[in-house]
């Protein structure tokens, strides 16, 4: 009897596991997904990048990590940590940038022309950083993440929001739009346009694209690259990373 109960419990466990959708991530593109991490699961999204700026300096991130925890079906807790190295012509700066804490809140499922929608908000902690990256103010950032399913293989996603840098009171507005295409059950690709519009400076516009490969439903690899299309945007960048949940 005990063996039968154990078998039934195992079947129930794996059946429930199969009901959970394939891992949905906020990387490698700039467009964040409206999907929330399943309840009581931890998801880690980490990546490394190299960015060449038009002012002859470069930025290396190793790594940037987004930590998520699914509190319930509509809410996830989020924490972002990023270690950066910036090389100018004469100065090298490295260290931990301010930690961000926040959440993602599901607003609605996709219904007809109305997209799947979520709200994402973070607050940077100015003193939880290396000395050279500490900021003067607590800095909020937020965005609305939306997604349309166009077919079994194609989706359209976009984000709108604002962020603050912690040193000034002026916001920077954010926009992203991305189209994703599933090549197979394990491989997908995307193409994206995104930009940042500071209140007192010119907007910078960028194009990027990339590919993801699903090892299994809970583990994914990614590779991406992009370049600036406006004068004040970075020259180019390349990034790779991985995401998993437990």
């Amino acid at each position: 009897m005990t063996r039968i109960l154990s078998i039934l419990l195992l079947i129930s466990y794996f059946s429930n596991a199969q009901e959970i959708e394939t891992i949905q991530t906020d990387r490698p593109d700039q467009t964040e997904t409206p999907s929330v991490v399943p309840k009581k699961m931890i998801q880690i999204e980490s990546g490394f990048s190299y960015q060449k700026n038009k002012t002859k300096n470069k930025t290396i991130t190793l790594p940037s990590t987004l930590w998520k925890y699914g509190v319930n079906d509509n809410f996830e807790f989020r924490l972002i940590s990023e270690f950066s190295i910036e090389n100018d012509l004469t100065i090298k700066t490295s260290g931990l940038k301010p930690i961000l804490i926040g959440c993602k809140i599901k607003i609605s499922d996709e219904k007809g022309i109305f997209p799947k929608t979520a709200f994402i908000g973070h607050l940077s902690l100015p003193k939880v950083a290396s000395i050279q990256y500490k900021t003067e103010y607590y800095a909020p950032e937020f965005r609305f993440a939306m997604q349309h399913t166009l077919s079994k293989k194609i989706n359209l996603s976009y984000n709108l929001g604002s962020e603050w840098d912690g040193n000034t009171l002026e916001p920077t507005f954010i926009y992203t739009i991305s189209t994703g295409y599933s090549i197979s059950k394990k491989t997908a690709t995307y193409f994206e346009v995104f930009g940042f519009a500071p209140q007192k400076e010119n907007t910078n516009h960028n194009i990027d694209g990339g590919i993801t490969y699903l090892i299994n439903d809970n583990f994914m690899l990614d590779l991406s690259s992009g370049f600036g299309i406006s004068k004040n945007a970075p020259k180019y960048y390349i990034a790779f990373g991985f995401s998993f949940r437990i």
Side-chain angles (χ1 to χ4, degrees):
M1 186 67 178
T2 303
R3 289 183 179 179
I4 294 174
L5 285 173
S6 299
I7 292 170
L8 290 174
L9 286 172
L10 284 172
I11 292 172
S12 175
Y13 173 80
F14 286 112
S15 295
N16 289 333
Q18 289 174 354
E19 292 175 3
I20 298 175
E21 65 178 354
T22 300
I23 186 171
Q24 302 291 313
T25 67
D26 290 313
R27 59 168 303 115
D29 56 2
Q30 303 296 315
T31 303
E32 305 209 13
T33 175
S35 296
V36 175
V37 172
K39 182 179 178 180
K40 294 185 179 181
M41 294 195 79
I42 296 171
Q43 185 163 310
I44 298 171
E45 303 175 17
S46 191
F48 305 82
S49 66
Y50 174 89
Q51 178 174 293
K52 185 73 168 63
N53 299 309
K54 292 180 180 178
T55 53
K56 295 186 178 180
N57 68 337
K58 58 185 178 181
T59 303
I60 302 171
T61 303
L62 61 161
S64 173
T65 304
L66 169 57
W67 312 75
K68 303 178 180 181
Y69 177 72
V71 177
N72 56 43
D73 293 336
N74 301 307
F75 186 94
E76 71 178 30
F77 174 78
R78 299 159 66 91
L79 185 146
I80 300 174
S81 60
E82 181 176 315
F83 188 90
S84 180
I85 300 174
E86 298 180 33
N87 283 308
D88 208 331
L89 293 176
T90 57
I91 302 173
K92 179 179 179 180
T93 306
S94 64
L96 180 68
K97 290 191 171 182
I99 296 290
L100 291 99
I101 57 171
C103 66
K104 181 187 292 184
I105 303 170
K106 177 183 175 181
I107 296 176
S108 65
D109 289 316
E110 184 176 1
K111 293 181 181 179
I113 64 171
F114 297 100
K116 183 176 184 178
T117 305
F119 171 82
I120 303 172
H122 297 104
L123 183 69
S124 74
L125 307 179
K127 306 304 179 185
V128 187
S130 300
I131 294 175
Q132 55 271 43
Y133 286 117
K134 289 183 178 180
T135 59
E136 187 174 354
Y137 308 109
Y138 287 89
E141 61 179 48
F142 72 90
R143 65 176 68 190
F144 290 92
M146 291 152 280
Q147 185 178 75
H148 296 273
T149 302
L150 302 183
S151 71
K152 290 183 178 180
K153 289 183 173 291
I154 303 173
N155 64 63
L156 176 69
S157 303
Y158 46 97
N159 292 176
L160 293 171
S162 293
E163 64 183 18
W164 284 257
D165 64 9
N167 293 311
T168 66
L169 299 179
E170 291 81 21
T172 296
F173 302 101
I174 308 164
Y175 79 87
T176 76
I177 182 166
S178 174
T179 179
Y181 177 74
S182 296
I183 299 172
S184 68
K185 290 183 178 180
K186 290 184 173 291
T187 307
T189 187
Y190 77 91
F191 175 79
E192 178 182 50
V193 177
F194 66 94
F196 303 91
Q199 189 174 27
K200 295 183 178 180
E201 298 177 19
N202 294 328
T203 303
N204 79 64
H205 303 281
N206 306 264
I207 291 175
D208 71 332
I211 190 167
T212 61
Y213 182 76
L214 200 64
I215 302 295
N216 57 47
D217 286 349
N218 295 309
F219 187 20
M220 188 177 75
L221 303 176
D222 65 72
L223 178 66
S224 61
S225 183
F227 58 90
I229 56 176
S230 59
K231 290 183 179 180
N232 58 338
K235 191 173 182 180
Y236 65 86
Y237 83 89
I238 185 168
F240 69 93
F242 60 90
S243 304
F244 65 93
R245 65 185 181 189
I246 53 176

